[in-house]
Amino acid sequence: MMWTWTDCLCVNILLLLQRVGSERFEVLGPTRAIVAVAGDDIILPCSIKPSITAEDMRVDWFRINLPDTQSNIRVHLYQDGRDKYPDQILSYRGRTSLFKEELKNGNTSLKLTRVQGTDDGRYKCLVQSKTHYDDATIQVYVRAIGSKPEVSIEGQKEGGMTLLCVSNGWFPEPELEWLDSEGVTLSAGPSETDRDYEGFYIVKLKTIVKETDINRFTCRVRQRQIYDVIKMETEFHIPSELILVHTDTWNVAIAVIVSLGIFLTVILAFTIWRWIALCNDYDASNAKHSQEIEQVKDELRLELKKDLITKLKILADQLDLVNMKGCPELETIRKHAVDVTLDPDTAHPGLILSEDRKQVRRGNIKQNLPDNPERFDTVHYVLGKEGFSSGRFYYEVQVEEKTGWTLGVARESINRKKYIFMKPENGCWTVWRRNKEYKAFTGPSVILSLREKPQKVGVFVDYEKGQVSFYNVEARSHIYSFTGYTFTEKLYPFFYSGITDISDPLVITPVGVTD
């Protein structure tokens, strides 16, 4: 049988069509949305049909339909037989991977580790060969149950007491409400909402309460999930005398001083008037009474002197009540100063330490560092290099005008791989600044009213006494003390440089002791 050129052409065309048809495939994703729990690892299913190898194909994972963006954002890229990361969004760095051994079977699924709030949304799995491509869309819902509400007193306002409720670590955004002892919702202003760097929600709500028969109030946080509603409550009782009497200490002191000053002025004026009157009587009286009058004048002078000394002592005592710079024990405490340096093995990859390990600031990118057990990998914390298991120690940190920082000490076994609430029960004794607000993390936290912004903070630990104290070094004043604790592990200096003013570092400074 003879083949003509026409027969050969037809056979070649048929073979080409068969080859092209063999490279066509369909990309398949899950039929339902993926529900992910924050902190867990999840798999986003994706595969091609028929089950041909994807080892020589391009596998591209994107986030789509993100708010405030004009284009898709790359989550993971596999091309030319290897993973490529130049365009990967930073929040996914080190958390994504393909199942390389399964690519030959057409499995292009993505593994996403340590799920966080920013992972919530829609994803696209795009698979492309030299002649064909297809994609599938996957919806991911992230769920995170946050902290129990923390309640604190902010002060008096409009004839009542202002209460603040704070809860953090939620996704999606929860609702806060205040209830009275009967379960009736109290009027409150709009809630304040913020998000941390992992996308979890922080919510705050204030209300003004007045005296009732019980003075018991409840803050409730409620989160609507797909198939359920999560609720948490914190009950707070305020003594009646606190509502009625609670007044700012400084205002009380000022009122006492002003009243005392007026009283002294009246006494002084009356005494001078008496003295002048006696002098006039002396000028008009007979000279034979001069000795008696002089004796009376001497007695009046002595009485006036004693009276003024007594009143001035009372005034000085009142001034001492409001003098925030009176902290004579600080110089003794500073003699327990130790040399503190930062431990790079504990530093979160997003932190930058100075060469001398005395400064820390937050960087713009996450560094590729070993994921050793000592390292914080969820929140931007770092510990001091040396731990202490006895005695007393003290160190100072320059904060200057930084609007966000946390300082204190933490026990050796503090959880370094998950988000934890800063409180002694979780192994940390710290104070905190965010913008104009200062707090001691006691669980619930205590709002600190400071007359002067600390430029340098001193941290003192008495291990045997179970005490951790904080001082405003420049003002020579006491900020706050944790007392009555029992320490059983090594304690390490603890640092957090905040998420604002990231270019300004926290600086461990040498302690100059004055004898």
Side-chain angles (χ1 to χ4, degrees):
M1 179 180 177
M2 297 294 294
W3 287 80
T4 66
W5 70 270
T6 305
D7 296 330
C8 292
L9 179 61
C10 291
V11 170
N12 286 332
I13 292 174
L14 289 173
L15 290 173
L16 180 61
L17 289 174
Q18 183 180 6
R19 180 182 177 186
V20 172
S22 66
E23 290 189 356
R24 295 188 64 84
F25 54 85
E26 181 182 6
V27 175
L28 303 176
T31 57
R32 292 191 295 181
I34 305 295
V35 179
V37 177
D40 287 352
D41 299 346
I42 62 170
I43 295 174
L44 306 186
C46 184
S47 60
I48 57 178
K49 183 181 179 181
S51 299
I52 58 176
T53 181
E55 291 177 309
D56 297 328
M57 297 184 184
R58 176 188 176 108
V59 180
D60 217 341
W61 280 88
F62 293 98
R63 283 289 302 277
I64 60 176
N65 297 335
L66 279 173
D68 303 325
T69 57
Q70 301 297 322
S71 60
N72 297 332
I73 294 180
R74 175 162 287 121
V75 173
H76 191 95
L77 173 62
Y78 172 87
Q79 188 179 24
D80 300 329
R82 60 189 181 92
D83 298 315
K84 296 185 177 181
Y85 301 105
D87 299 327
Q88 186 184 40
I89 187 172
L90 289 178
S91 62
Y92 289 94
R93 188 68 55 85
R95 298 195 299 125
T96 61
S97 61
L98 299 178
F99 298 90
K100 299 292 182 59
E101 69 281 359
E102 291 292 321
L103 286 174
K104 61 180 179 232
N105 299 322
N107 183 357
T108 56
S109 300
L110 180 74
K111 182 179 181 180
L112 179 60
T113 63
R114 304 187 303 278
V115 170
Q116 55 193 43
T118 53
D119 297 336
D120 186 270
R122 297 178 66 196
Y123 293 76
K124 178 182 287 187
C125 171
L126 174 65
V127 182
Q128 182 177 3
S129 69
K130 294 180 180 179
T131 59
H132 184 66
Y133 72 90
D134 194 19
D135 61 62
T137 301
I138 299 98
Q139 176 71 52
V140 174
Y141 293 111
V142 175
R143 294 294 176 260
I145 298 176
S147 65
K148 189 176 181 181
E150 299 175 52
V151 178
S152 57
I153 298 175
E154 284 216 324
Q156 283 189 323
K157 188 176 182 181
E158 300 176 7
M161 187 74 68
T162 302
L163 301 181
L164 172 67
C165 180
V166 181
S167 186
N168 53 45
W170 293 89
F171 201 94
E173 181 180 355
E175 302 170 355
L176 279 180
E177 62 177 341
W178 279 100
L179 308 171
D180 63 16
S181 58
E182 303 296 327
V184 178
T185 301
L186 297 172
S187 61
S191 61
E192 301 176 33
T193 303
D194 198 3
R195 298 182 73 173
D196 62 23
Y197 75 98
E198 290 187 344
F200 297 119
Y201 284 94
I202 305 168
V203 287
K204 303 179 181 180
L205 184 62
K206 296 180 182 179
T207 188
I208 299 174
V209 299
K210 298 185 178 181
E211 186 180 17
T212 67
D213 293 337
I214 302 177
N215 289 334
R216 184 175 290 111
F217 307 94
T218 300
C219 178
R220 175 186 293 166
V221 60
R222 180 170 53 193
Q223 182 193 63
R224 301 181 186 276
Q225 299 205 1
I226 299 176
Y227 305 110
D228 196 6
V229 176
I230 304 297
K231 293 181 183 179
M232 286 188 185
E233 295 181 350
T234 296
E235 192 176 86
F236 194 71
H237 177 260
I238 310 176
S240 298
E241 59 270 19
L242 186 60
I243 293 182
L244 295 174
V245 178
H246 179 83
T247 310
D248 184 79
T249 305
W250 176 252
N251 292 334
V252 172
I254 291 296
V256 170
I257 293 171
V258 172
S259 300
L260 188 59
I262 294 173
F263 176 72
L264 287 174
T265 302
V266 171
I267 292 294
L268 181 61
F270 178 73
T271 305
I272 292 174
W273 174 80
R274 286 181 62 192
W275 185 76
I276 293 175
L278 286 174
C279 288
N280 291 336
D281 290 343
Y282 170 76
D283 292 338
S285 66
N286 197 296
K288 66 179 180 180
H289 300 299
S290 61
Q291 186 176 358
E292 181 181 351
I293 293 175
E294 283 296 330
Q295 184 178 355
V296 172
K297 288 170 63 178
D298 289 341
E299 291 176 353
L300 285 173
R301 291 190 188 101
L302 183 60
E303 180 184 349
L304 176 61
K305 183 177 179 180
K306 289 180 178 179
D307 188 60
L308 285 175
I309 290 174
T310 302
K311 299 301 187 297
L312 288 174
K313 186 177 184 305
I314 295 173
L315 181 60
D317 290 341
Q318 294 296 331
L319 286 171
D320 284 342
L321 289 175
V322 294
N323 182 10
M324 300 299 290
K325 296 186 179 181
C327 189
E329 76 274 12
L330 182 56
E331 291 308 320
T332 301
I333 287 172
R334 297 181 87 204
K335 294 179 180 180
H336 296 284
V338 296
D339 183 22
V340 172
T341 57
L342 301 170
D343 185 358
D345 290 336
T346 66
H348 185 279
L351 294 177
I352 297 177
L353 309 185
S354 62
E355 290 186 7
D356 62 359
R357 305 290 187 259
K358 293 288 187 179
Q359 301 185 28
V360 57
R361 65 179 178 87
R362 186 160 178 163
N364 293 316
I365 61 172
K366 190 174 181 180
Q367 304 171 80
N368 185 18
L369 298 176
D371 187 19
N372 51 288
E374 299 84 10
R375 189 178 307 284
F376 292 97
D377 63 3
T378 302
V379 187
H380 291 60
Y381 299 147
V382 61
L383 298 180
K385 181 69 174 177
E386 299 296 330
F388 302 87
S389 57
S390 63
R392 302 172 181 174
F393 66 93
Y394 174 84
Y395 65 95
E396 293 178 351
V397 181
Q398 181 176 295
V399 296
E400 291 191 337
E401 297 300 322
K402 279 187 68 65
T403 58
W405 49 261
T406 303
L407 295 173
V409 294
R411 67 188 179 203
E412 189 171 23
S413 64
I414 186 173
N415 192 321
R416 310 180 189 208
K417 302 302 181 183
K418 288 187 178 181
Y419 175 85
I420 62 169
F421 178 64
M422 295 280 99
K423 58 182 179 180
E425 289 81 355
N426 290 335
C428 44
W429 293 262
T430 57
V431 295
W432 169 93
R433 180 188 179 182
R434 295 295 182 274
N435 298 321
K436 297 181 180 180
E437 187 176 68
Y438 295 85
K439 283 185 180 181
F441 281 129
T442 56
S445 56
V446 174
I447 295 177
L448 305 174
S449 299
L450 305 183
R451 288 185 58 215
E452 301 181 41
K453 297 178 182 178
Q455 302 295 302
K456 186 184 294 184
V457 176
V459 182
F460 172 68
V461 177
D462 189 325
Y463 194 95
E464 279 70 29
K465 270 190 171 183
Q467 175 181 330
V468 181
S469 298
F470 300 85
Y471 296 89
N472 182 337
V473 178
E474 304 294 342
R476 292 297 190 271
S477 63
H478 175 251
I479 295 175
Y480 187 81
S481 286
F482 295 86
T483 58
Y485 290 90
T486 301
F487 301 133
T488 58
E489 302 179 30
K490 274 190 177 182
L491 298 181
Y492 290 81
F494 179 93
F495 306 85
Y496 173 68
S497 188
I499 58 176
T500 57
D501 49 32
I502 62 176
S503 61
D504 297 329
L506 291 175
V507 182
I508 303 170
T509 58
V511 178
V513 179
T514 304
D515 293 329

